[in-house]
Amino acid sequence: MSFTAISTFLLSLLAVMAHAADPLPSWRDGKAKSSIIAFVTAVTTEGGPGFVAPPERVATFDNDGTLWAEQPMYVQFLFALDRVKALAPQHPEWRDKEPFAAVLKGDMKTALAGGERALAELVMATHAGMTTDEFTAIVDAWITTARHPVTKRLYTEMAYQPMLEVLTYLRANGFKTFIVSGGGVEFMRPWSERVYGIPPEQVIGSSIKTVFELRDGKPVLVRQPQIDFIDDKAGKPVGINSHIGRRPIAAFGNSDGDLQMLQYTAAGTGSRLCLFVHHDDDSREWAYDRQSLIGHFDKGLDEATTRGWTVVSMKNDWTTIYRP
Amino acid sequence: MSFTAISTFLLSLLAVMAHAADPLPSWRDGKAKSSIIAFVTAVTTEGGPGFVAPPERVATFDNDGTLWAEQPMYVQFLFALDRVKALAPQHPEWRDKEPFAAVLKGDMKTALAGGERALAELVMATHAGMTTDEFTAIVDAWITTARHPVTKRLYTEMAYQPMLEVLTYLRANGFKTFIVSGGGVEFMRPWSERVYGIPPEQVIGSSIKTVFELRDGKPVLVRQPQIDFIDDKAGKPVGINSHIGRRPIAAFGNSDGDLQMLQYTAAGTGSRLCLFVHHDDDSREWAYDRQSLIGHFDKGLDEATTRGWTVVSMKNDWTTIYRP
């Protein structure tokens, strides 16, 4: 057998082994689970009408609210608040300057009264002005120690177990899995491989500009207080095209911020899977949709219903919420 | 054996098989060839001082002049000129408007007298104003039929056989290979997988802005006449960080436009390979370096000498230039 023939044979063998057990043990039998399995089966059935060649098996996942929790506040925002507190000793002027003063007093209402400008100030003060390597080290240290205000878990322990199973299931069937998030790309990359099995080069997100510099002859990239790209809503298909250059055949989201990604995915020909996670479990997680500022899910819910996309009820479809 | 154990075993087996024959048959024995082989051996020797875990095996390649020919003019520029001619019937005003009028008369000197502004006008008129899918189809049709003015080969037949062997050799040893080019990312992606075995999601390049639109309910991305990112010189480490999020351990270039990419690569710890292809073969290809506008190679050549980076002589190190 040639090198290629052996590789193909071995990959088939691994695929068969992966199929043997229930690939989605934290999913209750029902429409959502069977829509995922039917899609993967169609895509991988050679000679079948839904077959898709492995290089085209691209699946994109929103992060906040789709792969991990986003309540009561986006994790990256809680990170920014912690950073304001950590940096305060070096910034005595923050004691009299909003939105920093309010954050330091724990008065979130006043802090956010400044709207988007206040938010941008908090982000830039905590995310820019250091090298990319320094920022990675800061995120790494925070994410391995900081705990969620309600559950007291590490944030990375608030990844959704059923979605981790979907990621593994897709990869075992020849998919490349990507994150496509409104969150900052360099906030996710330090831990995405460890938590989701998604390597940095498959993480797409919002970004600020960086500049290449030689510091004492040593090349560094310095993070600038200037938005580069917002990977949300209509930005998601743009980010996907810019980074992947192929149209996904499967897309997973939980809010209107993901709608254009799902529309873009659905518009291709052949097998497609468009799936929204619906937060309807106020005892094990949170329940929110049309009225929520975070994870606002209104037009997306309507369009999913009209077009027959998969809507996952966290309450009914998932036996477990978080990874152990 | 567990799934993981079997996978690891099979991958080792494949690696051994890949090692058996000369992995670089178009390379003459010498410093350049042995520096590549020594690097790959060090990186893949478990327990050795130069070992690098597979996920960190990232190699980046410039395209023009490194993976394929760039003389007498960048291929993408020749594409733009052909597109001006093809689009001329729809633009009668071009007959009296520079730089278009000169291009249509074949008078390149006048066409380029307008400098960067003229160049930008030619690029935008031929690269923007259509959907990404439409542009891909245009590139696809052109690249499979257009021929090089001197060699009369298809441009994709002017990929360098020795570099294709390096790409294959690295991938067989667990590397992910990326293109990091000053050329347009959407100009390369339609054929990079077929010619180089590099999938679209591993191609980084310069780009113009795109905008998501619903046209009659169908989502499309429309290419705008506006620069988004220039992936050249100090832009290359920025593009690498933005798309890959890891520092390469091997980088391949041929001009000063690649110098910062090699510096950034060299600045990491552990095994490194920094390599420049030197165009010194005026009988089989072209000879140019310090004085050339295209492929200008001056500071890079000095720094490579000082730092002991690999400099490949196309004349002496390569038995073959183009892929068959």
Side-chain angles (χ1 to χ4, degrees):
Chain A
M1 270 198 284
S2 70
F3 183 91
T4 312
I6 293 183
S7 308
T8 308
F9 168 75
L10 297 176
L11 285 174
S12 319
L13 187 73
L14 295 176
V16 168
M17 291 171 58
H19 266 298
D22 180 354
L24 302 173
S26 300
W27 291 71
R28 285 203 187 88
D29 288 337
K31 260 173 71 177
K33 180 173 181 168
S34 51
S35 74
I36 300 169
I37 293 178
F39 165 74
V40 171
T41 306
V43 163
T44 54
T45 302
E46 276 194 70
F51 181 75
V52 177
E56 297 293 337
R57 294 181 197 164
V58 168
T60 55
F61 291 80
D62 170 55
N63 184 39
D64 297 309
T66 300
L67 292 180
W68 75 352
E70 62 182 350
Q71 295 287 0
M73 190 68 84
Y74 298 119
V75 177
Q76 191 173 359
F77 187 71
L78 298 171
F79 164 78
L81 299 184
D82 276 2
R83 289 303 298 159
V84 168
K85 289 169 200 157
L87 291 168
Q90 296 158 244
H91 294 274
E93 76 280 9
W94 283 356
R95 265 173 247 160
D96 308 305
K97 194 186 164 195
E98 296 303 352
F100 303 99
V103 168
L104 293 173
K105 285 179 211 136
D107 174 5
M108 286 315 300
K109 201 176 156 192
T110 305
L112 293 177
E116 278 192 23
R117 228 198 58 180
L119 201 63
E121 274 194 78
L122 290 172
V123 169
M124 292 312 175
T126 53
H127 286 65
M130 70 289 280
T131 68
T132 51
D133 287 345
E134 286 162 358
F135 185 70
T136 297
I138 292 167
V139 172
D140 238 348
W142 185 82
I143 202 84
T144 50
T145 54
R147 286 181 181 271
H148 188 274
V150 178
T151 66
K152 309 297 177 199
R153 284 170 163 255
L154 291 176
Y155 290 104
T156 51
E157 292 170 352
M158 295 179 70
Y160 301 134
Q161 176 61 23
M163 295 305 289
L164 296 178
E165 292 168 5
V166 171
L167 287 168
T168 304
Y169 178 44
L170 290 176
R171 289 194 293 259
N173 282 282
F175 279 78
K176 262 194 188 174
T177 52
F178 291 82
I179 289 175
V180 179
S181 168
V185 64
E186 304 218 48
F187 178 73
M188 297 179 283
R189 282 177 170 162
W191 48 270
S192 64
E193 190 155 33
R194 183 167 46 86
V195 176
Y196 300 136
I198 297 181
E201 61 269 26
Q202 286 163 223
V203 179
I204 302 164
S206 297
S207 54
I208 60 178
K209 285 199 187 293
T210 65
V211 168
F212 178 84
E213 276 179 24
L214 290 176
R215 286 188 174 174
D216 303 324
K218 194 177 146 47
V220 292
L221 293 168
V222 185
R223 292 168 60 77
Q224 309 296 308
Q226 194 189 342
I227 293 291
D228 177 46
F229 179 64
I230 299 292
D231 190 49
D232 196 31
K233 300 193 172 71
K236 290 206 173 192
V238 170
I240 288 170
N241 183 61
S242 158
H243 284 257
I244 310 180
R246 310 195 204 245
R247 193 188 295 260
I249 65 167
F252 301 77
N254 77 299
S255 78
D256 285 1
D258 306 310
L259 179 56
Q260 288 85 349
M261 173 168 75
L262 270 67
Q263 289 172 334
Y264 183 62
T265 300
T269 52
S271 297
R272 302 285 138 172
L273 178 64
C274 292
L275 182 151
F276 277 120
V277 172
H278 190 190
H279 294 263
D280 60 356
D281 189 335
D282 60 359
S283 65
R284 295 186 303 171
E285 210 239 3
W286 286 268
Y288 57 97
D289 47 35
R290 295 185 193 273
Q291 309 301 322
S292 181
L293 212 62
I294 287 175
H296 183 70
F297 185 36
D298 181 36
K299 281 187 192 164
L301 187 49
D302 290 338
E303 191 156 334
T305 311
T306 314
R307 301 182 62 165
W309 292 343
T310 299
V311 178
V312 174
S313 161
M314 290 179 74
K315 189 173 175 173
N316 301 319
D317 288 317
W318 291 0
T319 61
T320 313
I321 303 288
Y322 300 123
R323 67 192 275 243
Chain B
M1 272 198 283
S2 70
F3 183 91
T4 312
I6 293 182
S7 307
T8 308
F9 168 76
L10 297 178
L11 285 174
S12 319
L13 187 74
L14 295 177
V16 168
M17 292 171 57
H19 267 299
D22 180 354
L24 302 173
S26 301
W27 290 71
R28 284 203 188 88
D29 288 338
K31 261 172 70 178
K33 180 172 181 169
S34 51
S35 75
I36 300 169
I37 292 177
F39 166 75
V40 171
T41 306
V43 163
T44 54
T45 302
E46 278 195 68
F51 181 74
V52 177
E56 298 294 335
R57 294 181 197 162
V58 168
T60 54
F61 291 80
D62 169 56
N63 184 39
D64 297 309
T66 300
L67 292 179
W68 75 352
E70 62 182 351
Q71 295 286 1
M73 190 67 86
Y74 298 120
V75 177
Q76 191 173 359
F77 186 71
L78 298 171
F79 163 78
L81 298 184
D82 275 3
R83 290 303 298 160
V84 168
K85 289 169 200 157
L87 291 168
Q90 296 157 246
H91 293 275
E93 76 280 10
W94 283 356
R95 265 174 247 161
D96 308 304
K97 194 184 166 197
E98 295 303 349
F100 303 98
V103 168
L104 294 173
K105 284 179 210 137
D107 174 5
M108 285 315 300
K109 202 177 154 190
T110 305
L112 293 177
E116 277 193 23
R117 226 198 59 182
L119 201 63
E121 274 194 78
L122 289 173
V123 168
M124 293 310 175
T126 52
H127 287 65
M130 70 290 279
T131 69
T132 51
D133 287 345
E134 286 162 356
F135 185 70
T136 297
I138 291 167
V139 172
D140 238 349
W142 185 82
I143 202 82
T144 49
T145 53
R147 288 183 179 267
H148 188 274
V150 178
T151 67
K152 308 299 177 198
R153 284 170 164 256
L154 291 176
Y155 290 103
T156 52
E157 290 170 353
M158 294 180 71
Y160 301 134
Q161 176 61 23
M163 295 305 290
L164 297 178
E165 291 168 7
V166 171
L167 287 168
T168 304
Y169 178 45
L170 290 175
R171 288 194 293 259
N173 282 281
F175 280 78
K176 262 193 188 176
T177 52
F178 291 83
I179 290 175
V180 179
S181 168
V185 65
E186 303 217 49
F187 178 73
M188 297 179 282
R189 281 176 170 162
W191 50 270
S192 64
E193 191 155 34
R194 183 165 48 84
V195 176
Y196 300 136
I198 298 180
E201 61 269 26
Q202 287 163 222
V203 179
I204 302 164
S206 297
S207 55
I208 58 177
K209 286 199 187 295
T210 64
V211 168
F212 178 84
E213 275 179 25
L214 290 176
R215 286 189 175 173
D216 303 324
K218 192 177 148 46
V220 292
L221 292 167
V222 184
R223 291 168 61 78
Q224 309 295 309
Q226 194 188 343
I227 293 290
D228 178 46
F229 180 64
I230 299 292
D231 190 50
D232 196 31
K233 299 193 172 72
K236 290 205 173 190
V238 171
I240 288 169
N241 183 63
S242 158
H243 284 258
I244 309 179
R246 311 195 203 246
R247 194 188 295 261
I249 64 168
F252 301 78
N254 77 300
S255 79
D256 285 1
D258 306 310
L259 179 56
Q260 287 86 348
M261 173 168 77
L262 269 67
Q263 289 172 334
Y264 183 64
T265 300
T269 52
S271 297
R272 302 284 138 173
L273 177 65
C274 292
L275 182 152
F276 277 120
V277 173
H278 190 191
H279 293 264
D280 60 355
D281 189 335
D282 61 357
S283 66
R284 295 186 301 172
E285 209 240 3
W286 285 269
Y288 57 97
D289 47 36
R290 295 184 195 273
Q291 309 301 324
S292 181
L293 213 63
I294 287 175
H296 183 70
F297 185 37
D298 181 36
K299 282 185 191 165
L301 186 50
D302 290 338
E303 191 156 334
T305 310
T306 314
R307 304 182 61 166
W309 292 343
T310 300
V311 178
V312 174
S313 161
M314 290 179 74
K315 188 173 175 173
N316 301 318
D317 288 318
W318 290 0
T319 61
T320 313
I321 304 287
Y322 301 123
R323 67 192 276 244

